[in-house]
């Protein structure tokens, strides 16, 4: 087993020596930071492609290819020319012999020498392989896939969320890299702005990132997990974000000038490190990347990616918004024009109501519970338009939940109009086993729509979708301290086409959980 970074950092913190081992400690040179990162298990690809390769936002005739030139991953600015020409190639085979597209991209210091190549002219519904070349070096080879058109018999995809680097290795991403998938959806908290301690990820051993250079170094540390780079190279990704990409529990429309400057820095660094197609029509829109989008996987699945940070107001306001006026109008328009397909919303924070105990208040108003009127408006619109087959996939909670979605969660006679699956985290610490055992039944009693809760494990979800059924497999790792931890299926839930609500697979219903509603 590779050195266990989680316990090493905890021990260093207890000894008062955390600054000596944490790669982002202030004052370290890029070489010293890299040495510290490698001492706690980080590895990097061959320079200048140290951070790997990735693809994203697959469509029927194209995909977005990504890499970033970072010979010194922890340098705020790379010692490179202002412009470096990066060759790229796409082929029909892993040997890159049957080339279908190639070109040159000017990687600029302005965007950290990142590369975002929108490749078009590809065939629908097939795999392609790609690579980059710069400064005499060829990158690793990545694999991607375009979206199909027309009738589709099945789609298989995964979601991941919440990957606090100090809390454990990304064995979940190792599992994702080895899955047979069409694509991956990342639901947010790709990085954390806080320090090196484990637990609930909010203690600090160095100043929080404030500048583009600070956030670049943070992303470089997280990309040092080899399993994350493998998962990026194996499949195309769709992406949204939550709060820790900037700062905990932030509102994108609040704060003064210092915060807005920090947010812009975080957004730029995020864009520099992600296979993200910016703008809904391919036009660049920095410093405010356009996250929300709607994509089809043939006639089988309509994926709606939501941005629940950039446009939100403060919580608990009478006229508060989590979507913003424009995104809400766009979402409602899509609901009104929904095709006959499975409708999957990629949602970074819990949509379903969650009271902590019977008769108690909401637990976290940072999620949709802090925007009650807008939630009721949106879900009421889903119900009134008659849209069926809604499945919401969610991250953030570091625990697994399965909920029935109702237009009015306080009214048990309100009809079920969909299902929400909230997935375990990749590595970010959940509540303790004692907390989960005590509060699982309390949450179950307080929320009649809550069907399942399990908070003691880490992993990712895999979704198998056919015209008849949507199945969620909860994949869990054995130990986040082990980068090679085996992956197993904890349980599976099904949703039948045209029937609102989920049910647990009889073959896995005996698996451990802190709450399970039997009926």
């Amino acid at each position: 087993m590779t050195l266990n970074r989680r316990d090493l950092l905890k021990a260093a913190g207890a000894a008062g020596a955390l600054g000596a081992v944490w790669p982002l400690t202030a004052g370290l040179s890029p070489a010293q930071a890299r040495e510290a990162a490698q001492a706690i298990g980080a590895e990097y690809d061959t320079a200048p492609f140290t951070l790997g390769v990735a693809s994203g936002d697959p469509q029927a005739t194209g995909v977005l290819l990504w890499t970033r030139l970072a010979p010194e991953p922890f340098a705020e600015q790379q010692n490179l020319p202002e412009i470096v020409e990066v060759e790229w190639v796409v082929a029909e085979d892993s040997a890159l012999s049957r080339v279908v597209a190639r070109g040159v991209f000017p990687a600029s210091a302005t965007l950290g020498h990142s590369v975002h190549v929108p490749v078009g002219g590809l065939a629908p519904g097939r795999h392609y392989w790609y690579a980059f070349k710069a400064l005499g070096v060829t990158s690793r080879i990545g694999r991607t896939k375009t979206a199909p058109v027309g009738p589709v018999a099945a789609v298989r995809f995964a979601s991941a969320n919440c990957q606090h680097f100090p809390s454990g290795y990304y064995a979940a991403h190792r599992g994702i890299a080895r899955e047979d998938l069409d694509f991956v959806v990342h639901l947010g908290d790709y990085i954390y702005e806080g320090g090196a301690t484990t637990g609930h990820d909010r203690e600090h051993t160095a100043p929080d990132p404030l500048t583009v250079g600070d956030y670049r170094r943070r992303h470089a540390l997280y990309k040092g997990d080899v399993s994350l780079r493998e998962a990026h190279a194996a499949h195309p990704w769709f992406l949204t974000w939550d709060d820790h990409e900037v700062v905990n529990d932030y509102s994108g429309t609040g704060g003064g000038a210092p915060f807005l400057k920090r947010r812009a820095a975080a957004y730029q660094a995020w864009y520099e490190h992600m296979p993200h197609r910016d703008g809904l029509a391919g036009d660049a829109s920095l410093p405010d990347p356009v996250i929300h989008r709607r994509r089809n996987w043939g006639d089988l699945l309509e994926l709606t990616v939501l941005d629940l940070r950039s446009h939100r107001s403060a919580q608990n306001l009478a006229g508060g918004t989590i979507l913003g006026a424009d995104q809400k109008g766009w979402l409602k328009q899509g609901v009104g024009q929904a095709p006959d397909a499975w409708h999957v919303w990629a949602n970074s924070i819990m949509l379903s109501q969650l009271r902590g105990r019977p008769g108690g208040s909401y637990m976290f108003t940072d999620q949709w519970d802090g925007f009650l009127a807008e939630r009721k408006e949106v879900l009421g619109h889903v119900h009134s338009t008659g849209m069926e087959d809604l499945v919401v996939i969610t991250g953030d909670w570091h625990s697994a939940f399965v909920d029935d979605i109702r237009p009015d969660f306080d009214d048990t006679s309100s009809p079920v109009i969909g299902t929400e699956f909230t997935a375990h985290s990749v590595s970010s610490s959940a509540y303790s086993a004692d907390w989960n055992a005590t509060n699982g039944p309390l949450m179950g009693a307080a929320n009649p729509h809550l069907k399942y809760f399990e908070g003691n494990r880490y992993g990712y979800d895999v979704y198998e979708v056919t015209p008849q059924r949507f199945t969620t497999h909860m994949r869990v790792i054995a130990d986040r301290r082990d980068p090679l931890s085996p992956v197993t299926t904890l349980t599976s839930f099904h949703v039948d086409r045209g029937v609102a609500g989920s049910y647990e697979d009889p073959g896995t219903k005996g698996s451990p959980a802190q709450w399970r509603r039997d009926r």
Side-chain angles (χ1 to χ4, degrees):
M1 183 189 301
T2 306
L3 183 64
N4 175 0
R5 66 179 174 230
R6 182 171 182 266
D7 287 348
L8 185 151
L9 290 167
K10 287 179 69 176
L18 196 55
V21 298
W22 179 231
L24 301 180
T25 298
L28 294 183
S29 70
Q32 290 170 328
R34 181 168 182 170
E35 182 178 1
Q38 291 171 334
I40 56 172
E43 303 176 41
Y44 293 93
D45 284 7
T46 302
F49 301 105
T50 52
L51 308 183
V53 303
S55 66
D57 198 14
Q59 299 183 44
T61 59
V63 69
L64 190 286
L65 303 182
W66 171 91
T67 190
R68 179 181 170 228
L69 306 183
E72 290 288 350
F74 290 93
E76 295 185 7
Q77 299 283 344
Q78 298 297 314
N79 185 21
L80 292 172
E82 176 67 26
I83 300 290
V84 178
E85 291 193 342
V86 180
E87 300 175 39
W88 58 269
V89 62
V90 178
E92 294 177 331
D93 64 312
S94 59
L96 303 181
S97 60
R98 299 196 300 274
V99 174
V100 296
R102 64 168 73 244
V104 177
F105 185 92
S108 168
T110 302
L111 289 177
H113 293 97
S114 60
V115 175
H116 295 81
V117 180
V119 181
L122 304 180
R126 66 158 301 157
H127 283 106
Y128 290 93
W129 287 260
Y130 63 94
F132 301 91
K133 184 176 181 180
L135 305 175
V137 178
T138 300
S139 72
R140 71 159 72 198
I141 295 173
R143 188 184 73 156
T144 190
K145 188 175 185 179
T146 52
V149 296
V152 174
V155 59
R156 200 167 188 272
F157 66 104
S159 72
N161 72 94
C162 299
Q163 51 198 45
H164 186 241
F165 184 90
S167 291
Y169 287 98
Y170 298 164
H173 280 303
R174 184 173 184 269
I176 287 173
R178 286 157 176 74
E179 295 271 6
D180 179 16
L181 302 173
D182 293 296
F183 58 87
V184 175
V185 182
H186 199 284
L187 297 168
D189 290 343
Y190 189 101
I191 64 167
Y192 281 73
E193 83 290 0
T197 53
T198 57
H200 263 74
D201 313 328
R202 293 180 184 175
E203 297 180 40
H204 303 265
T205 185
D208 276 1
L210 298 174
T211 67
V212 173
D214 293 341
Y215 282 103
R216 284 174 179 165
R217 295 174 71 235
R218 183 82 40 162
H219 279 278
L221 175 62
Y222 279 62
K223 283 288 203 296
D225 191 296
V226 65
S227 295
L228 175 60
R229 297 199 309 282
E230 288 179 355
H232 271 301
H235 315 291
W237 286 35
F238 292 98
L239 299 144
T240 188
W241 51 27
D242 195 21
D243 53 344
H244 288 291
E245 284 86 355
V246 181
V247 67
N248 187 48
D249 290 354
Y250 82 94
S251 165
T253 60
F259 168 74
L260 294 178
K261 185 177 180 180
R262 179 182 184 180
R263 189 193 71 172
Y267 282 7
Q268 178 177 331
W270 182 90
Y271 175 72
E272 291 174 353
H273 290 86
M274 297 298 151
H276 176 70
R277 190 194 307 268
D278 198 23
L280 295 180
D283 54 319
S285 58
L286 286 173
D288 295 308
V290 177
I291 301 296
H292 68 280
R293 59 202 59 205
R294 189 177 293 113
R295 300 291 187 245
N296 294 320
W297 205 261
D299 66 351
L300 180 59
L301 185 146
E302 179 190 59
L303 177 68
T304 299
V305 180
L306 299 176
D307 179 356
L308 303 181
R309 283 292 162 189
S310 302
H311 315 294
R312 65 159 60 192
S313 67
Q315 308 163 19
N316 303 319
L317 299 178
T321 179
I322 195 171
L323 293 164
D326 290 346
Q327 186 179 200
K328 180 171 67 174
W330 167 86
L331 177 61
K332 292 177 67 176
Q333 181 183 42
V335 169
Q337 300 172 353
D340 182 15
W342 288 101
H343 306 286
V344 177
W345 292 2
N347 177 70
S348 59
I349 53 175
M350 189 176 287
L351 172 68
S352 300
Q353 181 168 289
L354 185 61
R355 296 184 186 272
R357 60 191 65 248
S361 62
Y362 303 105
M363 294 189 69
F364 296 121
T365 57
D366 184 62
Q367 54 197 38
W368 281 81
D369 276 341
F371 306 89
L372 299 179
E374 184 162 272
R375 179 173 64 191
K376 187 173 291 188
E377 176 187 352
V378 169
L379 295 182
H381 185 66
V382 170
H383 178 50
S384 66
T385 59
M387 189 180 85
E388 296 182 328
D389 306 314
L390 172 64
V391 177
V392 178
I393 60 174
T394 297
D396 181 60
W397 238 93
H398 309 179
S399 300
F401 294 78
V402 179
D403 286 279
D404 287 335
I405 299 173
R406 301 176 185 271
D408 185 349
F409 287 102
D410 286 321
D411 181 1
T412 56
S413 68
S414 182
V416 176
I417 61 170
T419 295
E420 180 173 25
F421 294 108
T422 301
H424 291 97
S425 67
V426 167
S427 65
S428 301
S429 295
Y431 287 98
S432 70
D434 287 344
W435 190 98
N436 292 330
T438 298
N439 288 277
L442 292 176
M443 291 188 294
N447 300 279
H449 51 277
L450 174 59
K451 307 182 85 163
Y452 175 93
F453 166 74
E454 201 293 314
N456 291 349
R457 289 163 177 80
Y458 301 88
Y460 59 98
D461 280 359
V462 170
Y463 313 96
E464 292 185 317
V465 189
T466 69
Q468 294 78 37
R469 193 163 75 170
F470 189 109
T471 297
T472 295
H473 301 292
M474 297 182 190
R475 300 279 205 256
V476 293
I477 61 172
D479 189 345
R480 59 182 169 151
R481 297 171 298 180
D482 181 2
L484 304 180
S485 181
V487 175
T488 58
T489 299
L490 177 63
T491 192
S492 299
F493 274 79
H494 306 293
V495 180
D496 291 331
R497 187 74 175 267
V499 181
S502 66
Y503 58 95
E504 194 167 6
D505 190 284
T508 59
K509 198 170 182 179
S511 62
Q514 289 79 57
W515 170 256
R516 186 181 263 112
R517 187 177 302 279
D518 294 310
R519 56 189 168 115

